[in-house]
Amino acid sequence: MQIDVETGRGTAEAFIAADHPLFADHFPGSPLLPGSLMIELSAQLSGPLAEEFVRTRTGNERWAILGMVRDARFLAPVFLPATLNISAEVVRSEPSSISTNVLVEVNGERVMQAQLVMMMIETSAELAQAIEARNNRLARWKAS
């Protein structure tokens, strides 16, 4: 994962194996990536982008959670295994939310586009364990 706060853009790559147990019934003999997983992977890029964007622009610590999916379009099926190239760009910034346009491509072909609205919430002691676990996952993704 790479984030450029100056331009408000981020990119990431995700490899999805065909033999993952999650896809056992989607569909046997011809594994197909569910659109909901493409949305989730896009949110996992848009969230850290929004957090770093807010931290850099305002100095505030906020935690991003997916609040809304606007105009998601699934343009082609994604058969597994596949490597997804995900890009996100901040298109609107408000105190309580950051909107990103996301694109997902496989082998240079656009397979999904959407606008995600990340709700920016204040961190609290109750969220510390969840934030730490999420930050550990992000560190592994950024390192790969």
Side-chain angles (χ1 to χ4, degrees):
M1 174 186 309
Q2 301 222 336
I3 292 175
D4 183 349
V5 177
E6 295 295 320
T7 63
R9 295 177 184 198
T11 58
E13 184 177 278
F15 174 75
I16 312 296
D19 60 353
H20 192 286
L22 179 67
F23 306 117
D25 294 329
H26 208 272
F27 292 90
S30 186
L32 182 65
L33 183 66
S36 59
L37 186 55
M38 278 191 274
I39 294 288
E40 174 60 27
L41 289 168
S42 297
Q44 288 186 26
L45 172 60
S46 292
L49 172 60
E51 291 166 359
E52 290 188 31
F53 190 84
V54 167
R55 186 179 309 113
T56 300
R57 300 285 167 100
T58 68
N60 293 324
E61 272 306 307
R62 297 287 188 265
W63 197 34
I65 59 171
L66 180 60
M68 183 185 309
V69 178
R70 287 189 178 148
D71 196 28
R73 296 177 190 213
F74 301 95
L75 306 169
V78 177
F79 296 100
L80 301 174
T83 299
L84 282 64
N85 293 298
I86 307 162
S87 61
E89 178 181 10
V90 173
V91 293
R92 186 173 185 174
S93 174
E94 299 196 17
S96 62
S97 66
I98 300 287
S99 295
T100 62
N101 282 343
V102 294
L103 299 174
V104 178
E105 294 182 335
V106 174
N107 296 324
E109 178 185 6
R110 188 177 292 182
V111 295
M112 189 202 83
Q113 63 188 42
Q115 186 175 95
L116 304 183
V117 179
M118 306 305 295
M119 304 310 294
M120 306 307 293
I121 61 173
E122 290 188 31
T123 58
S124 66
E126 295 86 22
L127 299 174
Q129 188 175 11
I131 291 170
E132 181 180 354
R134 197 284 315 257
N135 288 343
N136 289 337
R137 280 193 314 275
L138 285 176
R140 288 192 305 272
W141 197 10
K142 286 180 177 180
S144 61

